[in-house]
Structures are given as C-alpha cells and as structure tokens.
Amino acid sequence: DFERFRRRVERATWMVPRLRHRVQPGPVALAPPLWVDDPDFDLDYHVRHLALPAPGSMRQLCDLATRIAADPFERTRPLWAFIAVDGLEGGRGALIQKMHHTITDGEGGVRLSLEYLDFERDAPEPPPIDPAELPEPEPVQHVSSGGAVRDMLAGSLRIPIGFARQLSNLATDPGRLPEASAAAAETVRGVVTQLSDTEKARSPLWTARSLRRRLETIRAPFDTTKASAKRLGGSLNTAFLTIAADGAGRYHRELGAPVDELRASMVISTRTAESGANAFTLARLLVPTGAMSIAERFTAIQESAGTARSSAGSASLATLATVAATLPTSLVTRLARQQGETVDFATSNVRGSPTPCYIAGAKLLENYPIGPLAGVAFNLTLLSYAGSLDMGLHLDPAAVTDADLLRTCIEDAVTAFVAVGKRRKR
C-alpha cells in the first residue's frame, strides 16, 4: 500500500527532523557545512514509486539499486530517498532506501526504520502528527568568517574547544606531544596510527578501480552460523570475517593466483546513549586466505581482529573529522585515496530485527545492505534479519572481474562454515 507507506514516511520526517534538513555550505570554505531547515521540502521528491520492466528479475533490481546508490545527492535538498519498486517476479516488490552517511550510520538506520516498519501485517497506523503542535524549526544559522575556525573545531562536532585546539596544535606540530594532555596525546597517537598505515593491499588480482558497480546477494542461516562460531570459541562477527576471508581466498585460487593474506577493514561501533548520528570507527587487519581448516582461519582472524579493535579504539570518526578539518582539502583527499589503497576489501556487520517485519501491509522477506566501496575491491555488509544473515556484496567490476565466481566462492565458504555447527547438533 504505497499511500500508507508514504504517510508513514511523512510522519517519520516530523519525528526525525534531520530528514527535513538540507546542507548549507560554510562561509568561504572555512567551516563545515551546517544543517538548516529546508523551506521547500517536497516529500514526493524523496518518496518515489516505480516498476521494473518484465520479467522483473533480482538481477534487474540489483542493477537498479546500484545505479540509484551511485547517483550523487542533490545538495539543495535533504540527503535521502526511498524508492518503492513494483513488478518483481512472484508478485513481490522492493524498497530501495538511500541515505547519506552524514544522516546516520547502519545501526542508526535500523532504528530509523522503526518509524515505518510494523511487527504485524495489519498493524494500526500511529496517529498523525500536527506540524502546528511541533516546536518551531531552528532558524538558518549564519556564521561569520571570524568565528568559522572556532566552529570548525568545536561547534559542529561537540568537542570541547580547548581539546580541539590541542588536537589542531599536535596535528601541525607533533613535537609538542609530551606536553599535551593524556587524552589529546592518546587521540593523536590513534590518528597517527591510522594515517601512518600505508602498507599496500595484497591482492595480485584486485588492482584496477573504476566507477562501475555491481551488487550480488548472499544469505546464511543465523542459528547454525552462530552455533559454528560458538563451537569455535568466538563471535558471529568473527564468523562473518572468516567467511569473507575464506571466500576471497577461494576466488584467488580458482583463478590461479593464490594469496596467503589479504588486508581487510571492519566497522567497529562506538555507539553510546549520547552518540550522534554516526558512531563508529574503522579497523584494518590482515586476514589469512590460504588453504587451511576453518578452525585455523577462525582462530587467526579472532586474534587479528582483537588487536585491530584495540589499535583503532582511540581514533573515532569524530576525532578523525576534527583533525581532518584542520588540514587542507587537497591533503585530506590525498590521504583518503592513500588509505583506500591499503585495503583489499571492506566488511560491516549490522544487527537487525530477529522477528519478521511488515511495510505497509507487505511482509519483509529479505533485507540486503549496500556498503560503500571507498576505493576497495568489494564491500561485504551483513544485516541479520528474522533468522537469516542477509549479505550485500557490493563490488567494483574493474577489480573483481568475475562477480559470479566471487559470489559462488563466498556461498561455498558459508556452506563450509555452517557445516561446523550442523555437525555439533548431530
């Protein structure tokens, strides 16, 4: 029921004010952009309805989703869109949700979805919201160039200005590290650790990059995957990394280019009760991809992941952004490109609903995330849902020249890992 869905999203835009905000650039590029109310907000621009041509295959849907994800946002409007898609085979439909990362991270996106998801098919609609009863929106903020630097360091990131000033001083003069506060020194050490990692990615195959994109989907059973991880003495997140590494290794061996290790990145949540829209950091680690037993690979990755989490803990997203704001844009761009070249593939694991959900009367069957590439060969992101682990394999076809083979290799890795848990049940 598209009109019912539209009403729910409209209500969400009042419950989550960021969905009605647009970006206003800072003055003379001295300050970060500001969030301001969009006086010309048009819900129909953001909530759209279309249909796939026959036959309405999953391949057509995935291709449509990657094109929508790759299109840049219109910066004069709020940075999100929901596209309802009819015409899938078997009488099914789809919802493509596109949201800029400045609005929220993966976990926050799951929480936001509660505004339009139900736990029963014919759940009563929540009462409508009368905008006249809501507080007046904040007026557009005007920042003078004289105060831009101060706001750049403190205002938008909610970091105390004295602490931010120490970060800025240390970024430009590391020799002052001994006289800095313990917190500032530890933060800068974490940032330096992140940015000083310039070791190149290891794959002999995944060397080219392009602007082309392809999405493949993979599913794994939740219970038996978790049972396998428990039997091996670790977590579901380690299981996911083990499957990704195993699949990547199988791919290289199938193409006659075996490799013992690859460099991977993983997202680490830093969410707390006081967290903002984005609460995560990134960790990089070497994962074993040579031929070995599942138990050996799992143990090695669990140790490597633990070390990576410890080293990445002091370099949060907000801290990196604060330090980056003190540097020239050209340098930040060069550093970002350089950091992308240190990773072969990226991973992320987001926890979703353990029970079935409904969207405007339709049962949600599968739920695939599309993680950002940011210069890597592929991103494998997992979203747990209703007894399943739904994985979106988002890849660059210039790097991964045989997408079908990589999907098959990861599926084979899932089968092998799940078998560990099944053997235990017998």
Side-chain angles (χ1 to χ4, degrees):
D1 186 340
F2 179 75
E3 289 305 318
R4 179 179 171 186
F5 173 69
R6 185 185 180 280
R7 290 193 297 271
R8 292 291 294 271
V9 177
E10 181 175 26
R11 187 179 191 279
T13 66
W14 293 114
M15 297 295 292
V16 185
R18 180 68 77 236
L19 298 179
R20 287 179 173 262
H21 291 170
R22 63 175 177 84
V23 174
Q24 176 177 286
V28 293
L30 288 177
L34 301 169
W35 289 109
V36 299
D37 189 62
D38 179 10
D40 301 315
F41 179 77
D42 179 7
L43 183 68
D44 291 325
Y45 178 86
H46 301 276
V47 183
R48 306 176 189 179
H49 195 186
L50 53 84
L52 287 174
S57 66
M58 190 65 175
R59 179 72 270 147
Q60 288 174 287
L61 176 63
C62 287
D63 290 344
L64 174 64
T66 53
R67 292 190 186 107
I68 289 173
D71 284 342
F73 282 101
E74 170 55 60
R75 293 297 186 93
T76 61
R77 299 177 184 267
L79 305 179
W80 63 275
F82 288 169
I83 299 94
V85 183
D86 292 337
L88 260 71
E89 293 173 314
R92 296 174 299 156
L95 176 65
I96 300 172
Q97 174 181 319
K98 178 180 178 181
M99 193 163 292
H100 198 284
H101 231 309
T102 53
I103 295 179
T104 188
D105 56 17
E107 188 172 342
V110 170
R111 296 183 182 188
L112 171 63
S113 68
L114 295 176
E115 292 294 332
Y116 57 85
L117 288 178
D118 297 311
F119 294 104
E120 54 184 295
R121 187 182 299 276
D122 298 314
E125 289 191 54
I129 291 177
D130 182 359
E133 298 178 358
L134 296 173
E136 286 293 320
E138 295 183 9
V140 173
Q141 304 174 51
H142 297 283
V143 181
S144 66
S145 58
V149 173
R150 179 185 67 250
D151 290 342
M152 172 180 66
L153 293 176
S156 66
L157 294 173
R158 300 178 183 176
I159 293 177
I161 192 167
F163 185 66
R165 186 179 293 115
Q166 286 191 68
L167 296 181
S168 176
N169 292 338
L170 292 173
T172 54
D173 183 9
R176 301 175 65 175
L177 198 62
E179 63 190 60
S181 68
E186 180 62 25
T187 296
V188 170
R189 287 191 186 98
V191 172
V192 169
T193 298
Q194 288 276 333
L195 297 183
S196 62
D197 185 351
T198 58
E199 186 177 348
K200 293 293 184 182
R202 300 292 183 88
S203 173
L205 300 176
W206 299 334
T207 55
R209 297 292 185 268
S210 72
L211 296 177
R212 294 182 292 132
R213 298 291 181 262
R214 184 177 176 91
L215 176 66
E216 300 287 342
T217 59
I218 302 165
R219 304 195 87 192
F222 180 90
D223 289 338
T224 46
T225 305
K226 187 175 182 180
S228 295
K230 184 177 181 180
R231 181 180 184 188
L232 294 170
S235 67
L236 192 61
N237 190 58
T238 304
F240 174 53
L241 278 169
T242 300
I243 289 168
D246 188 2
R250 290 170 185 258
Y251 179 89
H252 282 77
R253 292 193 294 276
E254 284 288 334
L255 294 182
V259 60
D260 290 333
E261 292 178 314
L262 291 174
R263 288 175 62 81
S265 70
M266 63 178 181
V267 172
I268 299 173
S269 175
T270 58
R271 187 168 290 276
T272 65
E274 292 77 32
S275 298
N278 282 278
F280 67 91
T281 187
L282 293 173
R284 283 166 289 192
L285 64 157
L286 277 173
V287 294
T289 51
M292 63 178 64
S293 71
I294 294 171
E296 288 176 305
R297 196 184 315 278
F298 187 92
T299 300
I301 288 177
Q302 184 160 264
E303 293 175 356
S304 183
T307 302
R309 286 189 184 93
S310 300
S311 63
S314 57
S316 67
L317 182 71
T319 302
L320 289 169
T322 303
V323 174
T326 69
L327 304 175
T329 300
S330 59
L331 176 57
V332 172
T333 302
R334 189 163 71 249
L335 285 172
R337 185 176 295 115
Q338 172 187 291
Q339 293 302 298
E341 293 172 352
T342 69
V343 177
D344 290 292
F345 66 90
T347 65
S348 183
N349 179 1
V350 181
R351 183 170 57 184
S353 172
T355 59
C357 296
Y358 299 84
I359 303 177
K363 186 176 182 179
L364 180 59
L365 303 176
E366 304 168 26
N367 200 5
Y368 297 107
I370 306 177
L373 290 186
V376 301
F378 73 82
N379 181 307
L380 186 65
T381 298
L382 178 153
L383 179 60
S384 61
Y385 170 64
S388 175
L389 303 175
D390 294 352
M391 290 173 262
L393 174 60
H394 193 203
L395 58 88
D396 182 343
V400 183
T401 55
D402 194 336
D404 291 335
L405 175 61
L406 180 58
R407 184 197 66 246
T408 299
C409 287
I410 296 176
E411 288 174 338
D412 290 343
V414 168
T415 300
F417 193 88
V418 165
V420 174
K422 288 182 176 178
R423 286 196 299 270
R424 187 185 186 189
K425 284 186 176 181
R426 294 194 191 102

